[in-house]
C-alpha cells in the first residue's frame, strides 16, 4: 500500500491544532467525562423519563399555542424593524451605490467618512448578541416581548446591513453604473440595478435570519422577554418534563415551518 506523501504535513497540522486547542479546553474546564458519572446518569434518566408522555391537556396546549404565536410575532416584528434600519444603512455603506465616485471613480472624503461611520455602527449593533440586548432592555422596558423585539431589531439590523452590502458589492455592477451615470439616485439604482441581480440571495439570507430570530426569541424568553422560551423556563424550574417535551416538539415544528417557507420562496425566486 503506497504511503501518503503528505503524512508529515497532516501530522504536523494535527499536532499544532492539539497544542493550540488543549490550553483552551483546560481554560474552559471542559470535562465531558462528568456526563458518565453515576449520579449524573441517574439524574439524566430521571429527568428524561418525565418527558413521557408529553403534556397534552387542552388548557396547556392553548397556553403553548398563545406562547408560540407570541414567539413568531416577536421574531417577525423584530426582523421587520431590523430591515427598516438595515436598508437605508445598506444604501449608505455600499460603495457600488455611491454617487460621489461617478466620473472620478473614487469616493469623496466626506462620503468615505460617512461610510466608515455607518460601518462602525453596524459593527457595534451586531457585536452585542440579542440575548445581551434583551437582558439590558428587560431592565429598561420591563418583562415581556417588547424587550425581545427591540433586541432582535438592534442585533439583526447590524447583521443584515453588513451582509446586504456584501451581497450587493459582489453582484454585477454594470446595471448600477449605467443608472448612476445617467443621473439616477441611489434608491433607483438599488431597485432597478442591483436588486434584480441579487434578489434571490438577499431573500434567502433574510429568511435564514428570520429562522434564527425565531430560535433567538425562544432563548430570550429565558431572561423574561416572553414567548415560548419563558414558558419553557418556568417548566424547567418546576422540573415538569412532560410540559417541556410538548414545548420542544412545538419548537421543532416552528423551525421546520420556517424552513419550509424559506424553501418555497427560494423555489419561486429560482
Amino acid at each position: 500500500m503506497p504511503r501518503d506523501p503528505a503524512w508529515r504535513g497532516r501530522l504536523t497540522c494535527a499536532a499544532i491544532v492539539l497544542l493550540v486547542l488543549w490550553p483552551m479546553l483546560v481554560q474552559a474546564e471542559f470535562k465531558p467525562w462528568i456526563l458518565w458519572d453515576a449520579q449524573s446518569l441517574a439524574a439524566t434518566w430521571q429527568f428524561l423519563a418525565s418527558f413521557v408522555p408529553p403534556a397534552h391537556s387542552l388548557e396547556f396546549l392553548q397556553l403553548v399555542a398563545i406562547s408560540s404565536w407570541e414567539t413568531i410575532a416577536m421574531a417577525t416584528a423584530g426582523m421587520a424593524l431590523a430591515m427598516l434600519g438595515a436598508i437605508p444603512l445598506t444604501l449608505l455603506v455600499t460603495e457600488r451605490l455611491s454617487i460621489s465616485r461617478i466620473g472620478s471613480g473614487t469616493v469623496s472624503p466626506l462620503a468615505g467618512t460617512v461610510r466608515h461611520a455607518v460601518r462602525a455602527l453596524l459593527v457595534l449593533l451586531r457585536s452585542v448578541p440579542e440575548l445581551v440586548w434583551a437582558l439590558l432592555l428587560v431592565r429598561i422596558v420591563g418583562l415581556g416581548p417588547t424587550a425581545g423585539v427591540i433586541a432582535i431589531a438592534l442585533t439583526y439590523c447590524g447583521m443584515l446591513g453588513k451582509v446586504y452590502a456584501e451581497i450587493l458589492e459582489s453582484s454585477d455592477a454594470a446595471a448600477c453604473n449605467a443608472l448612476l451615470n445617467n443621473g439616477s439616485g441611489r434608491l433607483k439604482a438599488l431597485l432597478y440595478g442591483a436588486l434584480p441581480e441579487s434578489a434571490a440571495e438577499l431573500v434567502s439570507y433574510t429568511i435564514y435570519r428570520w429562522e434564527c430570530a425565531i430560535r433567538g426569541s425562544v432563548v430570550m424568553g429565558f431572561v423574561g422577554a416572553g414567548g415560548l422560551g419563558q414558558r419553557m423556563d418556568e417548566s424547567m424550574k418546576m422540573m415538569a418534563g412532560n410540559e417541556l417535551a410538548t414545548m420542544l416538539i412545538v419548537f421543532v415544528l416552528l423551525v421546520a415551518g420556517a424552513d419550509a417557507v424559506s424553501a418555497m420562496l427560494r423555489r419561486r425566486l429560482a
Side-chain angles (χ1 to χ4, degrees), residues 79 82-91 93-94 97 122 156-171 190 194-195 198-199 201-207 209:
M79 276 295 297
M83 290 178 68
L84 285 177
I87 291 172
L89 293 178
T90 301
L91 285 171
V93 83
T94 305
L97 299 173
L122 293 175
Y156 282 55
C157 177
M159 292 179 178
L160 292 175
K162 175 184 182 294
V163 178
Y164 283 175
E166 289 179 350
I167 292 173
L168 293 175
E169 291 283 7
S170 63
S171 63
L190 171 67
L195 198 57
S198 309
E201 197 171 353
L202 289 170
V203 171
S204 178
Y205 181 74
T206 302
I207 297 298
R209 274 295 153 199

Side-chain angles (χ1 to χ4, degrees), residues 50-220:
S50 66
F51 278 39
V52 182
H56 55 275
S57 67
L58 181 60
E59 182 181 357
F60 179 72
L61 291 177
Q62 288 175 342
L63 184 64
V64 171
I66 293 170
S67 299
S68 300
W69 177 246
E70 196 173 72
T71 295
I72 296 172
M74 190 193 312
T76 306
M79 276 295 297
L81 291 176
M83 290 178 68
L84 285 177
I87 291 172
L89 293 178
T90 301
L91 285 171
L92 292 174
V93 83
T94 305
E95 187 173 341
R96 180 161 293 175
L97 299 173
S98 175
I99 296 176
S100 64
R101 68 180 178 84
I102 297 174
S104 64
T106 58
V107 179
S108 69
L110 177 60
T113 302
V114 172
R115 183 165 292 107
H116 287 303
V118 174
R119 285 187 183 278
L121 175 61
L122 293 175
V123 169
L124 173 64
L125 290 174
R126 70 176 181 271
S127 296
V128 182
E130 61 267 36
L131 183 60
V132 176
W133 283 121
L135 280 168
L136 297 173
L137 290 163
V138 160
R139 283 150 182 78
I140 298 172
V141 302
L143 299 173
T146 301
V149 171
I150 299 174
I152 290 173
L154 291 173
T155 300
Y156 282 55
C157 177
M159 292 179 178
L160 292 175
K162 175 184 182 294
V163 178
Y164 283 175
E166 289 179 350
I167 292 173
L168 293 175
E169 291 283 7
S170 63
S171 63
D172 187 6
C176 280
N177 290 337
L179 288 168
L180 292 172
N181 288 328
N182 284 281
S184 172
R186 283 176 179 267
L187 186 58
K188 288 185 178 179
L190 171 67
L191 294 176
Y192 301 109
L195 198 57
E197 179 77 20
S198 309
E201 197 171 353
L202 289 170
V203 171
S204 178
Y205 181 74
T206 302
I207 297 298
Y208 166 70
R209 274 295 153 199
W210 179 61
E211 292 179 35
C212 295
I214 291 176
R215 292 193 291 270
S217 298
V218 174
V219 174
M220 284 186 290

